[in-house]
Amino acid sequence: MEKKNRVATLPQPNPMCGGDGPHSYARNSSYQKAVIDCAKTKIKEVILEKLDLAHMCLDLNTFKIADFGCSVGPNTFDVVQTIVETVKRRYEQQNIREAQKHLEFHVFFNDQSNNDFNTLFKNRFLSVCKPYFIAGVPGSFYDRVLPRNTINIGHTSYTLHWLSKIPKEVCNINSLGRNKHNISCSNLVEEMSKAYKSQFEKDMGDFLGARAEELVSEGFMIMSGMCLPDGVPMVRTWKGVAIDTMRDCLIDMANSRILNKERVESFSLPLYFPHMSELEEVIKQNECFSIEVLERMIHPMEDLPLTNDFIASTYRAIFHGLIEEFFGDGVVDELFDRFAKRLETHPIDFQTCVKDIQYFVLLKRNSH
Ligand SMILES: C[S@@+](CC[C@H](N)C(=O)[O-])C[C@H]1O[C@@H](n2cnc3c(N)ncnc32)[C@H](O)[C@@H]1O
């Protein structure tokens, strides 16, 4: 098949594992769903308390919602349904009766163009309930993907740590050998952290700039995801340790000549988890939005000892596409078998890891 020998020169941001098989994101995303579950309580609160339909610049009969980085479901349907139901209650609360009679919802599901949109749109929930009008919007959310001044509520969850690309300085640093044993930003090598941070700032600036154009005046942008407590390096969290375990498996595979050593040394993940203050700072830079809420949520699995099988299947569903694109076919099974085994022989010590932070942010679009 054409794809077999085609490998990317740099690791590319890649969608989650498609389909609905045992390794798919659809069946291995309960960790991300738990974040959405906590955010749902806050989403209801902020819509009922703060969404001002009377002053929002909108066609009162058609309410438009966009989920950026929706993946293949089912999490996206869960959060969108909460937004739809709560907005209906808000219409009742604000007594906008005439519009209520004709109220319709139009939902835009955005992800990268190689996301498995077929699986997304085949979901039974959509065909059985027909809950709203839907549209798929392929394209990077770091650019404009929707017309100007159209969206009433934008949402994104567990997406903004995916950078648009590996910063070029990281590739240079890798080639100088200073970082060849790291596959992500551990926050231990200063020049590395700087390069990742500045790519994150650029990407977040682009994300917010694009959303500022797409949202109507008084529109909401709701964002949730993970960041780090100030001063805590990524390597001290369990997710950082898991990424290092994945790196160790890649190095083992290179030592066993299953993978090319130089290729493993040049591998990095296009991920950056900002510190809480960095996140706040970059959001403040965009003067089109006012920050209505920026707070910490407790992840429902924060105090649970996660099983090794759970970690391995969650990581596989996330990184499958990226690994295959960079190392070629046939590597994913071997890598994640080794990963699961290594987690057994070198278990993550959750007691000594520092807890990461789950954030909830509500931004309001200032008047155009
Ligand atoms: C961990 S998944 C989260 C999916 C879903 N929001 C959830 O909570 O289950 C991250 C998603 O962000 C998408 N993504 C990453 N970078 C993107 C970009 N630049 N533009 C659009 N989507 C992107 C990925 O393709 C992936 O589907």
Side-chain angles (χ1 to χ4, degrees):
M1 293 205 314
E2 201 204 324
K3 203 170 172 205
K4 269 242 164 352
N5 298 316
R6 194 170 49 82
V7 287
T9 38
L10 281 179
Q12 302 295 316
N14 230 282
M16 308 295 101
C17 185
D20 58 3
H23 299 305
S24 62
Y25 184 78
R27 285 169 63 175
N28 293 284
S29 51
S30 54
Y31 190 87
Q32 293 86 336
K33 180 181 183 314
V35 176
I36 286 179
D37 284 343
C38 319
K40 273 163 43 179
T41 313
K42 294 192 184 287
I43 289 173
K44 287 182 199 161
E45 267 170 37
V46 296
I47 292 179
L48 293 176
E49 278 170 25
K50 293 174 184 279
L51 188 74
D52 189 353
L53 292 167
H55 290 101
M56 190 181 249
C57 162
L58 83 165
D59 158 11
L60 280 176
N61 295 328
T62 313
F63 197 95
K64 298 195 181 76
I65 298 166
D67 190 27
F68 298 96
C70 61
S71 194
V72 293
N75 299 350
T76 185
F77 302 126
D78 202 16
V79 68
V80 165
Q81 193 56 20
T82 298
I83 296 174
V84 167
E85 279 163 11
T86 317
V87 169
K88 282 186 190 160
R89 280 179 58 201
R90 185 64 173 157
Y91 268 74
E92 281 165 29
Q93 222 185 25
Q94 289 203 300
N95 220 355
I96 307 182
R97 286 185 200 282
E98 202 41 43
Q100 242 172 283
K101 275 195 245 155
H102 306 287
L103 179 61
E104 292 180 321
F105 288 86
H106 197 174
V107 180
F108 299 88
F109 291 96
N110 157 259
D111 208 290
Q112 303 178 81
S113 51
N114 49 353
N115 181 55
D116 182 2
F117 281 100
N118 285 335
T119 293
L120 179 75
F121 291 132
K122 268 194 283 190
N123 192 290
R124 257 178 69 75
F125 171 72
L126 293 182
S127 52
V128 173
C129 303
K130 297 201 173 28
Y132 32 71
F133 293 99
I134 55 174
V137 180
S140 171
F141 53 44
Y142 292 124
D143 281 326
R144 284 275 307 286
V145 287
L146 288 158
R148 220 168 254 130
N149 211 2
T150 48
I151 300 299
N152 302 108
I153 295 186
H155 170 268
T156 196
S157 186
Y158 247 74
T159 50
L160 295 170
H161 50 272
W162 283 98
L163 300 176
S164 63
K165 60 175 187 201
I166 307 271
K168 68 174 183 317
E169 298 84 346
V170 169
C171 308
N172 293 341
I173 295 166
N174 274 354
S175 66
L176 293 174
R178 266 174 289 184
N179 194 57
K180 65 181 182 186
H181 297 308
N182 271 320
I183 60 166
S184 73
C185 184
S186 58
N187 298 119
L188 294 183
V189 181
E190 200 187 333
E191 54 202 323
M192 197 74 169
S193 305
K194 268 197 200 148
Y196 272 106
K197 181 178 169 210
S198 97
Q199 185 64 49
F200 172 76
E201 287 169 349
K202 154 105 184 49
D203 286 343
M204 268 303 276
D206 290 346
F207 180 87
L208 293 174
R211 304 301 79 81
E213 293 205 42
E214 295 165 353
L215 260 68
V216 300
S217 294
E218 309 280 318
F220 279 7
M221 184 66 222
I222 298 168
M223 314 193 288
S224 57
M226 180 199 133
C227 62
L228 297 169
D230 285 352
V232 172
M234 183 68 189
V235 276
R236 299 231 20 234
T237 66
W238 75 259
K239 292 178 189 116
V241 177
I243 286 177
D244 282 357
T245 305
M246 212 163 93
R247 170 208 61 196
D248 293 342
C249 297
L250 287 168
I251 293 174
D252 283 351
M253 286 170 78
N255 290 338
S256 312
R257 296 176 192 273
I258 298 168
L259 292 177
N260 174 288
K261 192 160 168 253
E262 282 77 42
R263 198 137 180 90
V264 170
E265 286 175 357
S266 68
F267 179 67
S268 301
L269 296 168
L271 293 181
Y272 182 73
F273 292 95
H275 289 97
M276 190 75 179
S277 60
E278 290 170 2
L279 178 73
E280 188 169 355
E281 204 46 50
V282 76
I283 293 174
K284 278 187 184 154
Q285 305 272 315
N286 188 311
E287 293 176 355
C288 298
F289 291 104
S290 58
I291 303 179
E292 299 285 313
V293 179
L294 193 161
E295 56 187 46
R296 191 191 158 157
M297 300 185 288
I298 306 289
H299 195 293
M301 297 180 183
E302 189 172 283
D303 290 322
L304 296 182
L306 300 175
T307 67
N308 292 331
D309 282 350
F310 180 85
I311 297 171
S313 50
T314 302
Y315 271 54
R316 179 179 175 137
I318 295 171
F319 294 120
H320 174 121
L322 190 148
I323 297 283
E324 197 171 75
E325 185 97 2
F326 189 73
F327 290 108
D329 285 351
V331 172
V332 170
D333 281 344
E334 172 83 26
L335 173 62
F336 286 98
D337 280 355
R338 283 173 182 255
F339 182 62
K341 284 185 190 134
R342 199 170 174 95
L343 287 172
E344 292 295 330
T345 53
H346 300 71
I348 297 174
D349 182 357
F350 286 92
Q351 298 298 325
T352 58
C353 289
V354 179
K355 285 178 183 161
D356 49 56
I357 295 178
Q358 314 302 312
Y359 63 81
F360 177 84
V361 176
L362 169 68
L363 304 180
K364 188 162 80 178
R365 177 67 172 97
N366 300 331
S367 293
H368 283 271

